[in-house]
Amino acid sequence: MNTVFALWKRGLKAFIRNRTGLIFSLIFPFFFVYVFGAIFKNEFIQNPIAYMLSGVIIATVFESALNLASTTVDDMVSGFMKEVLVSPAKRISVAIGQLLSAATVSTIQGILILVIGLFVGIRFTTWTTPLFVLLAMICVGLVFSGVGLFLATIVRSGQTFQIIKTAVTMPLTFLSGAYIPIAMLPTSLQYVARINPMTYATAFFRTIVLEKTNLSTAELVKEGLAIDINGFIVTPIMSFAILVAVGLIFLVLSTNSFIRTDFSRLNRSATDANEIWG
C-alpha cells in the first residue's frame, strides 16, 4: 500500500509542478468549445456550449490518461522503474500506483475544466449530478489509464510512444462525438465510431452532464446520446457497461504486461525523476 501511495503522490507532485502544462491544458480545450460549438450548432442541441463542454471534458480526461503513460515510459527508459522494482515493492503495487496516479491527475484536469464550464454554460439542477459526473470521470480515467499503461509496456522508447499515442488519441477523439456529433460524420466514419470505446464514454458522460437521463430512447438517439446500430439502440446505461468491460480488459492486460516486462533490457540515461520523487 505504501508503494501505491508513494507513486500516486509522485504523480500528483509532477502534475502540480508542471504549471505551464497545466495552464495550456486548460486553455486549449476552450478553443474547441467556441470553434466547434458555433460551427455545429443545430436544432437538436438546446445548449451547444454545454454540449461541447461535456465532450471536451471527457476528451481531456481520456487524452490526459493516455498522455500520463509517457511518464511510465520515461521511467522505464531512464532506469527509474528498474530502481523501484529492485526494492521489496511488488510489481502489481507499482502498476496500481501508476494507474491510480494517471487516473487521478486526468480526473483533476477534467474537474478544472468543469469548474470553468460552470461559469460559461454548464448548469446542474440537482446536487447528485456533480457526484455522478465525478464518478464518471474517475471511471473513464481508470479505463484509459489502463490502455495507456498497456501501450507503455509494449514500446521501448518515449519517441515511439509519442507516435503511437498520437495515432491512437486523434482518431478516437474525433470519431467519438466529443467535438463533432457522430450524425455529422460521413457514413463510413459513423461505422468506425461505433467500434470506438470513446464514443460510448462520450455518450454516457454527456447524458449525465446535460441531465438527460429521463429522455425517451428516441429523444436520446436524436440528441446523439444513444447509439443506433442498425436498429439496435445502445442506451447510456449500455454505454457505461461497454466502458466498464473495456476497462476491465485493459486493466488486466496492462497489469499483466507490466508484471512480465523485462526492464533490464531497457537502456538507462540521465533523468530528473529523483527530484520529483524527493
Side-chain angles (χ1 to χ4, degrees):
M1 185 58 71
N2 288 338
T3 303
V4 173
F5 177 73
L7 289 170
W8 175 80
K9 181 181 176 184
R10 175 175 177 263
L12 286 181
K13 289 173 69 175
F15 170 68
I16 294 170
R17 290 182 181 183
N18 186 12
R19 293 185 178 84
T20 303
L22 174 61
I23 292 171
F24 276 94
S25 70
L26 295 179
I27 294 175
F28 195 61
F30 285 92
F31 167 78
F32 288 104
V33 171
Y34 285 103
V35 172
F36 287 103
I39 293 175
F40 298 107
K41 183 177 181 180
N42 65 52
E43 59 182 311
F44 302 122
I45 302 174
Q46 297 176 349
N47 186 344
I49 297 298
Y51 189 91
M52 285 301 304
L53 272 171
S54 58
V56 166
I57 290 170
I58 205 61
T60 300
V61 174
F62 159 67
E63 292 174 0
S64 298
L66 278 179
N67 287 341
L68 289 164
S70 62
T71 304
T72 303
V73 176
D74 292 340
D75 289 342
M76 291 176 180
V77 175
S78 68
F80 176 79
M81 190 61 69
K82 194 162 58 178
E83 292 176 0
V84 172
L85 294 177
V86 297
S87 70
K90 294 181 180 179
R91 287 201 175 202
I92 184 69
S93 298
V94 177
I96 293 173
Q98 297 288 98
L99 287 171
L100 290 181
S101 172
T104 303
V105 171
S106 59
T107 300
I108 291 174
Q109 286 190 294
I111 291 172
L112 292 174
I113 297 175
L114 174 64
V115 170
I116 299 174
L118 292 173
F119 294 96
V120 297
I122 292 180
R123 298 286 182 273
F124 296 139
T125 59
T126 66
W127 66 270
T128 55
T129 301
L131 178 62
F132 287 123
V133 169
L134 175 62
L135 293 176
M137 282 194 282
I138 293 173
C139 178
V140 173
L142 278 173
V143 168
F144 292 104
S145 295
V147 176
L149 185 61
F150 176 69
L151 293 176
T153 57
I154 61 175
V155 300
R156 290 293 182 268
S157 76
Q159 203 171 26
T160 304
F161 180 79
Q162 292 301 324
I163 296 171
I164 293 175
K165 183 198 70 180
T166 303
V168 171
T169 56
M170 290 294 287
L172 291 191
T173 301
F174 281 95
L175 297 180
S176 69
Y179 298 136
I180 306 171
I182 293 175
M184 295 184 177
L185 295 173
T187 304
S188 58
L189 293 182
Q190 291 185 27
Y191 287 114
V192 177
R194 292 171 184 169
I195 59 173
N196 176 6
M198 261 302 291
T199 299
Y200 303 100
T202 302
F204 168 70
F205 184 77
R206 184 170 274 149
T207 303
I208 296 175
V209 173
L210 300 180
E211 298 181 325
K212 299 286 188 178
T213 52
N214 293 326
L215 294 184
S216 67
T217 302
E219 290 171 324
L220 288 170
V221 172
K222 184 183 294 183
E223 296 199 20
L225 304 176
I227 316 300
D228 185 352
I229 304 178
N230 298 328
F232 178 79
I233 307 301
V234 181
T235 64
I237 293 297
M238 291 181 183
S239 294
F240 176 69
I242 292 171
L243 187 64
V244 171
V246 171
L248 290 175
I249 291 171
F250 275 96
L251 286 176
V252 171
L253 287 175
S254 60
T255 51
N256 184 61
S257 180
F258 187 86
I259 291 170
R260 293 176 180 275
T261 298
D262 183 3
F263 294 98
S264 64
R265 298 177 60 185
L266 300 174
N267 294 325
R268 177 174 183 166
S269 59
T271 176
D272 60 352
N274 288 331
E275 295 179 9
I276 296 173
W277 184 260

